[in-house]
Amino acid sequence: MASTKSKTSGSKKFSDNSGVNKKVWFYSLLLTIQYGAQPLISKRCIGREVIVTSSVLACEIVKVICALALMAKDGSLNKALKEWTLIGSLSASGLPAAIYALQNSLLQISYRNLDSLTFSMLNQTKLIFTALFTYIILRQKQSIQQVGALFILILAAVLLSIGEGSRKDYGSDNPDKIVLYGIVPVLIASVLSGLASALCQWASQVKKHSSYLMTVEMSIVGSLCLLASTSKSPDGQAMRQHGFFYGWTPLTAIPVVINAVGGILVGLVTSYAGGGFVIVSALLVTALLQFVFDGKPPSLFCLLALPLVMTSISIYQKYPYRVKKKEA
């Protein structure tokens, strides 16, 4: 009788684990495609005349709708509304929201001035700054292997910056423009992403905010920051002169929605497993799609940097810091 009960319990546990594994693989597959295709889709569907602030604001609105729908589905929306306070929201989400709003604007500028694979690899330097800021804010240490992985990532970023800064096949003969409007924005965005990520971890640990609630709060606060900036910014002037949807086509909505859904998928994947496999796979997807649709093979510098980035991310995810018994 006892053995039958244990077998039933074991088979139920196996069934539950199997269901979770299927979810992990499904979400990971979707996120891999989204990560890999996003730079290429954004470059093809968002014209240079589209106002950057309008596309970022539209993305934040879609994120809010998706997050609220998911909260309503899992039954946490009513509880969140009852317990929500303005001060608690601003203290947890205010600063990271403003940072992410600026980061998203910089990424939109960088998308337009770098090829998809280079952008995707440089964007991974956010790991370096996430590690730095989580140590400063949360005292979260890195293992020796992780530190080594970060140095490999720095080497890859240097290779890409030197190589891409000297290329002349982006439709511009001025390499300075590639550096100024392509490489510099994505690197600054990586710094901001690292800082915002550390602040979000602090909020989830100290303030006990759920990832969906954080998404809603940060999207709303970030949107308000962007709207406030339009009173003085060139984007604000362009929107007042030409309208919010100036330069938009039906295709422009595709990367906006995909980017917003990708933000939700990140939370789902990381709640079940690490994202290292997804990022490595996405880089390969980006390289393949760039070759298929643009007919552009990776440059020598990209070919040298790609295995470095993939190795770095794999090592970083595989060897996390483990607290020693004396420290515990």
Side-chain angles (χ1 to χ4, degrees):
M1 180 81 175
S3 63
T4 306
K5 191 174 181 182
S6 65
K7 281 181 183 177
T8 307
S9 158
S11 63
K12 186 178 180 183
K13 189 181 285 185
F14 177 79
S15 174
D16 289 345
N17 287 338
S18 177
V20 169
N21 285 335
K22 284 180 182 177
K23 276 187 178 181
V24 171
W25 281 107
F26 178 66
Y27 292 147
S28 296
L29 178 63
L30 289 179
L31 190 58
T32 297
I33 295 169
Q34 188 268 334
Y35 264 0
Q38 184 72 44
L40 195 72
I41 293 172
S42 295
K43 202 168 184 179
R44 282 175 165 257
C45 297
I46 301 179
R48 288 185 173 272
E49 65 277 8
V50 172
I51 301 165
V52 169
T53 301
S54 72
S55 62
V56 174
L57 279 171
C59 181
E60 296 305 318
I61 292 167
V62 176
K63 275 186 191 175
V64 170
I65 293 169
C66 290
L68 287 174
L70 288 167
M71 287 176 75
K73 186 182 176 184
D74 67 17
S76 62
L77 182 58
N78 287 335
K79 183 184 176 184
L81 289 173
K82 286 176 184 176
E83 295 177 355
W84 186 88
T85 62
L86 178 60
I87 299 205
S89 171
L90 290 176
S91 64
S93 306
L95 184 55
I99 293 170
Y100 272 130
L102 177 56
Q103 177 215 356
N104 287 333
S105 297
L106 289 168
L107 290 178
Q108 291 296 326
I109 295 167
S110 185
Y111 272 140
R112 304 176 184 188
N113 295 284
L114 288 174
D115 74 60
S116 304
L117 183 58
T118 303
F119 170 85
S120 293
M121 285 194 284
L122 283 174
N123 195 31
Q124 298 316 313
T125 55
K126 61 190 174 187
L127 270 180
I128 299 164
F129 301 106
T130 301
L132 174 64
F133 287 117
T134 50
Y135 177 73
I136 293 170
I137 296 171
L138 300 171
R139 293 297 168 188
Q140 185 175 308
K141 297 179 180 179
Q142 309 293 314
S143 67
I144 294 172
Q145 292 93 332
Q146 285 182 316
V147 172
L150 294 175
F151 275 108
I152 294 172
L153 196 57
I154 291 170
L155 176 61
V158 170
L159 263 176
L160 285 169
S161 299
I162 293 170
E164 300 307 305
S166 62
R167 287 180 69 177
K168 295 185 178 181
D169 58 349
Y170 289 108
S172 170
D173 291 329
N174 184 6
D176 292 339
K177 185 179 179 183
I178 297 167
V179 173
L180 189 60
Y181 295 103
I183 294 171
V184 171
V186 73
L187 290 179
I188 294 174
S190 292
V191 177
L192 295 174
S193 176
L195 176 57
S197 179
L199 290 170
C200 286
Q201 284 187 48
W202 171 82
S204 65
Q205 290 175 19
V206 178
K207 298 291 183 178
K208 307 297 182 186
H209 269 41
S210 71
S211 60
Y212 291 147
L213 182 58
M214 286 283 291
T215 297
V216 172
E217 289 176 343
M218 288 196 299
S219 293
I220 291 173
V221 175
S223 298
L224 291 174
C225 291
L226 282 174
L227 286 171
S229 73
T230 57
S231 62
K232 299 289 182 183
S233 69
D235 275 10
Q237 187 178 353
M239 281 195 286
R240 286 189 292 274
Q241 188 175 349
H242 302 291
F244 184 87
F245 292 106
Y246 177 72
W248 279 57
T249 67
L251 291 176
T252 309
I254 295 173
V256 168
V257 173
I258 289 175
N259 193 26
V261 172
I264 303 295
L265 282 173
V266 169
L268 291 170
V269 170
T270 52
S271 66
Y272 290 111
F277 170 77
V278 169
I279 296 168
V280 170
S281 304
L283 290 173
L284 294 174
V285 170
T286 302
L288 178 64
L289 291 176
Q290 181 176 287
F291 180 69
V292 170
F293 290 101
D294 287 348
K296 186 190 293 182
S299 69
L300 175 61
F301 286 94
C302 278
L303 289 173
L304 290 171
L306 182 59
L308 291 176
V309 174
M310 293 171 69
T311 302
S312 171
I313 293 167
S314 299
I315 293 173
Y316 192 87
Q317 294 287 334
K318 191 175 181 181
Y319 299 101
Y321 179 80
R322 299 191 187 284
V323 179
K324 295 175 183 176
K325 287 183 179 179
K326 287 183 180 180
E327 292 179 19

